[in-house]
Amino acid sequence: MTNPSPENKLRSGYVAIVGAPNVGKSTLLNRILNEKISITASKPQTTRNRIMGILNSPGHQMIFVDTPGIHRARDSFNRMMVDTALSTLSEVDVICFLIEASGADREIDRFILENLQKVNTPVLLLINKIDALRDKKELLPVIEKFRGIRDFHTIIPISALTGDGVDAVVREIAELLPEGPRYYPEDYITDQPERFLVAELIREKVFHLIHQEIPYAVAVMVDTFTEEADRNLISIEATIHVERDSQKAIVIGKNGQMLKEIGKQAREDIERLLGWRVYLGLFVRVQKNWRKDPRVLTDFGYPSGN
Ligand SMILES: Nc1nc2c(ncn2[C@@H]2O[C@H](COP(=O)(O)OP(=O)(O)OP(=O)(O)O)[C@@H](O)[C@H]2O)c(=O)[nH]1
Ligand SMILES: [Mg+2]
């Protein structure tokens, strides 16, 4: 690759990834960056914060913002997540609106479209999970329908899972970005602190290994993070907070087996992320109804609302 000559100015800016829960937003961010920055799960409402991922090339810096799935929130914690996503819309240069190839006429997609009407930002409609279609012809009515609703900058069928169509998305975004500075150093892929990424990887394993309501009642905090250069490892202690004693028992599991498995899988991912050997100590603690407690929400790094 050649460096851009001075007259070829850098193009840079912010790109929101929005859509209903579980449509594959975080999977797409990870695919674009070729790094696991954002956790993913087959359950809705996995992502709770804005997750920033930065794609650098000689001529561009694209700052992607993965957001919580937009849905009809039933409680204040979920409303906080939806507000986090909606507030991103007015702060970016390009919006990627993800829908699923099948079941694309969901009421929530219409709600998101209403919110997109309020901003003047170019919107790319990305129809995801095309690998799961039996016949690509199923896309045609979806494309027709959405084309009738709004003037999208472009409509691209993709698979965030296989990478199909993702290069085309990046190319389209590159053309839409304004000239601008490199907001972050070239070797940055996220502005999320390592502690946050580590806590998220632990939370992801709870999503993968435990079903029903428990993952939603879990928050993870890293308590200590110590480089032990003489032992050639990073020593991490983290606490998995749950809301009730019964949940604590399930997270620990019979003879501690569940907690052990969460720790093992999380450690493997954390070692990959940090490029270091890792010792991971996990604790489980009951923090009654933390999702409703503004003080605890702040401690856990979530907006506490009002
Ligand atoms: N078959 C298929 N599955 C996909 C694709 N993209 C994502 N998935 C799966 O869909 C599920 C949800 O993916 P996520 O990336 O966590 O979805 P999300 O939109 O970030 O979800 P929330 O954060 O909960 O809003 C996971 O099981 C993914 O593996 C795709 O292109 N094809
Ligand atoms: Mg997500």
Side-chain angles (χ1 to χ4, degrees):
M1 276 211 220
T2 53
N3 281 322
S5 55
E7 59 269 24
N8 281 345
K9 294 259 176 56
L10 187 84
R11 286 170 180 273
S12 63
Y14 287 78
V15 184
I17 305 176
V18 297
N22 214 42
V23 291
K25 298 177 294 298
S26 302
T27 307
L28 176 64
L29 177 71
N30 294 339
R31 169 64 57 189
I32 289 172
L33 297 181
N34 254 326
E35 292 276 354
K36 184 159 171 174
I37 292 300
S38 195
I39 64 168
T40 67
S42 60
K43 301 180 180 76
Q45 286 133 47
T46 307
T47 306
R48 290 178 181 163
N49 310 71
R50 294 195 208 195
I51 311 287
M52 209 118 91
I54 304 162
L55 185 68
N56 281 296
S57 69
H60 297 92
Q61 182 166 72
M62 302 181 194
I63 303 159
F64 289 89
V65 187
D66 181 19
T67 61
I70 295 169
H71 58 285
R72 297 279 187 199
R74 295 179 313 272
D75 56 43
S76 60
F77 187 66
N78 279 272
R79 234 175 355 257
M80 173 280 289
M81 288 161 58
V82 173
D83 287 346
T84 299
L86 290 176
S87 65
T88 309
L89 294 176
S90 55
E91 299 168 9
V92 295
D93 302 287
V94 180
I95 295 169
C96 293
F97 171 34
L98 251 76
I99 61 170
E100 274 188 42
S102 57
D105 62 344
R106 303 227 303 268
E107 191 240 334
I108 201 66
D109 287 331
R110 278 198 296 278
F111 172 69
I112 298 170
L113 278 164
E114 281 167 24
N115 279 280
L116 291 179
Q117 309 291 23
K118 297 177 194 162
V119 292
N120 235 340
T121 313
V123 179
L124 276 56
L125 178 68
L126 308 182
I127 309 177
N128 192 28
K129 307 197 184 181
I130 56 169
D131 59 289
L133 289 178
R134 262 173 290 124
D135 187 346
K136 293 260 163 80
K137 282 205 212 88
E138 293 172 42
L139 281 171
L140 293 175
V142 181
I143 292 174
E144 277 314 302
K145 184 172 156 252
F146 276 84
R147 205 178 253 151
I149 301 178
R150 184 202 156 105
D151 193 16
F152 291 102
H153 177 77
T154 181
I155 300 178
I156 309 176
I158 64 166
S159 168
L161 201 63
T162 67
D164 202 5
V166 172
D167 285 350
V169 174
V170 173
R171 274 199 306 276
E172 286 289 341
I173 294 168
E175 288 184 9
L176 285 168
L177 290 181
E179 282 181 11
R182 214 177 270 287
Y183 294 98
Y184 293 91
E186 222 165 331
D187 56 353
Y188 267 45
I189 51 165
T190 181
D191 75 335
Q192 252 62 246
E194 281 175 342
R195 278 170 175 253
F196 174 80
L197 297 173
V198 165
E200 285 287 274
L201 288 172
I202 298 165
R203 198 166 65 81
E204 182 185 65
K205 303 314 166 206
V206 179
F207 262 87
H208 289 181
L209 292 167
I210 307 181
H211 299 294
Q212 291 153 352
E213 285 304 302
I214 287 178
Y216 300 103
V218 159
V220 178
M221 296 293 292
V222 169
D223 306 312
T224 65
F225 188 109
T226 323
E227 278 184 28
E228 298 191 19
D230 50 332
R231 290 170 66 201
N232 196 22
L233 62 74
I234 293 179
S235 175
I236 297 170
E237 288 178 322
T239 302
I240 300 175
H241 296 268
V242 293
E243 289 186 324
R244 291 199 297 270
D245 292 321
S246 58
Q247 295 164 341
K248 177 174 175 178
I250 293 171
V251 172
I252 292 172
K254 206 169 165 205
N255 301 322
Q257 282 304 313
M258 179 56 83
L259 192 60
K260 204 166 157 196
E261 188 59 25
I262 293 168
K264 175 175 162 286
Q265 293 191 15
R267 182 179 47 76
E268 287 167 4
D269 271 15
I270 296 165
E271 288 185 336
R272 211 168 298 134
L273 172 81
L274 301 177
W276 275 68
R277 233 157 36 89
V278 164
Y279 160 80
L280 180 63
L282 288 182
F283 306 89
V284 186
R285 186 162 172 261
V286 178
Q287 177 79 49
K288 291 240 177 337
N289 292 321
W290 64 263
R291 279 181 287 183
K292 295 199 181 100
D293 186 333
R295 196 180 42 83
V296 182
L297 283 172
T298 309
D299 286 351
F300 287 178
Y302 298 115
S304 57
N306 35 36

